[in-house]
Amino acid sequence: MGRYVARRLLQMIPVFFGTTLLIFLMVYSLPGDPVAGLFGDKGTDPATLAALRHQHGLDLPLWHQYYNYITGILFHFDFGSQIRSGREITEVVGAAFPVTLRLAFLAFAIEIVLGLALGIVAGLKAGKWADNLILILTLLIISMPVFVLGFIVKSVFAFQLGWIEPNVSNDETWGELVAPAIVLGSLSLAYVARLTRTSMAENLRADYVRTAVAKGLPKRRVIGVHLMRNSMIPVVTFLGTDIGALMGGALVTEGIFNVHGVGGLIYESVVRREGQTVVGVVTVLVVIYLIASLLVDLLYAVMDPRIRYA
């Protein structure tokens, strides 16, 4: 098991450098000049622009800028500073990430609980009315864009029924984040339900399930130990990759409910051409995604011992 973990950690190193380099090149290939944008339409003299570019290292070759960026992160945990405000990027990200983390945690919990519950019911009742009802519900959610669902939830439950506040306050309490979390996790919830249903319905016909039933094992043990353990492997795969998607995909949801998190920070940084802020936020998301992928691989090894020896 230790060699398996060590091998996976070594595989994460080139993935980290490759993804951060790709993100860095994509962000800095966008049109526009962040330094010239500081002065708006009035502009300024070329000497001032050159001095500011030199101050922020923007006059260096792109490979040199990436080298300075990645060495600053690895050796000093320094993501640089914003051009417009002069604030440290670690400070900006540190203020925005806890909000999005709480929002993503709530959305993740909702999709696990409701998604698994709906998928288990549909899988055990395959072909019956409960399965058909859940199929219609999940397909309806999948076909509905997030921004449409967000506006429906906001107009119905905030403006018409008055059950929730239309916008999240600056305190970002857990209760205020429930509605945005439902909207954010709705699409993933539907996918989890469909994956769970398909996997369980397929494994119900497997030989090992028929053998367990023939041995006289209780139905609870057959479902909870034998069926669930093998059926959760594709679901765990999706949940592991969905953690990063929830963090990065909160842009629309945060905009609808006025949540001051990572989504709003990325949007403002792109508009203001704050490339280093965008790269810093996405770098943190890459690290979260890599850690989640490692945990998923470890869960594979726990659920299926053949994987750790492969």
Side-chain angles (χ1 to χ4, degrees), residues 12-35:
M12 290 169 61
I13 296 175
V15 174
F16 173 78
F17 284 106
T19 51
T20 52
L21 176 60
L22 181 61
I23 293 164
F24 192 90
L25 295 176
M26 291 175 63
V27 169
Y28 280 89
S29 65
L30 294 174
D33 187 348
V35 175

Side-chain angles (χ1 to χ4, degrees), residues 217-290:
L217 294 178
K219 185 177 181 180
R220 179 180 301 178
R221 180 172 177 82
V222 173
I223 296 175
V225 177
H226 298 278
L227 182 60
M228 288 291 295
R229 183 172 181 177
N230 290 278
S231 300
M232 287 300 103
I233 291 179
V235 181
V236 168
T237 304
F238 177 80
L239 290 175
T241 57
D242 193 51
I243 295 176
L246 288 176
M247 295 288 296
L251 176 61
V252 176
T253 306
E254 290 183 358
I256 294 173
F257 291 94
N258 194 33
V259 181
H260 301 290
V262 172
L265 177 61
I266 293 177
Y267 176 77
E268 291 179 0
S269 300
V270 171
V271 171
R272 296 177 179 178
R273 196 58 178 80
E274 290 280 358
Q276 200 155 358
T277 305
V278 177
V279 175
V281 172
V282 179
T283 300
V284 177
L285 293 177
V286 168
V287 173
I288 293 175
Y289 179 81
L290 291 175

Side-chain angles (χ1 to χ4, degrees), residues 45 68 203 222 233:
D45 58 283
N68 292 338
N203 286 322
V222 173
I233 291 179

Side-chain angles (χ1 to χ4, degrees), residues 110-131:
I110 290 171
E111 73 176 75
I112 288 179
V113 175
L114 294 182
L116 289 180
L118 293 175
I120 291 171
V121 172
L124 296 177
K125 304 291 184 180
K128 299 182 180 180
W129 67 268
D131 180 28

Side-chain angles (χ1 to χ4, degrees), residues 118-195:
L118 293 175
I120 291 171
V121 172
L124 296 177
K125 304 291 184 180
K128 299 182 180 180
W129 67 268
D131 180 28
N132 295 327
L133 182 62
I134 293 173
L135 172 63
I136 295 173
L137 176 63
T138 53
L139 290 179
L140 179 64
I141 295 175
I142 291 173
S143 63
M144 188 178 299
V146 175
F147 64 89
V148 174
L149 180 61
F151 280 115
I152 291 175
V153 170
K154 189 172 182 177
S155 61
V156 172
F157 293 98
F159 296 128
Q160 296 184 16
L161 299 178
W163 291 358
I164 61 174
E165 293 295 329
N167 294 317
V168 176
S169 66
N170 293 330
D171 296 331
E172 292 105 8
T173 62
W174 288 98
E176 292 177 326
L177 294 176
V178 171
I182 293 175
V183 174
L184 179 61
S186 59
L187 181 61
S188 299
L189 182 154
Y191 283 126
V192 169
R194 299 309 305 158
L195 279 173

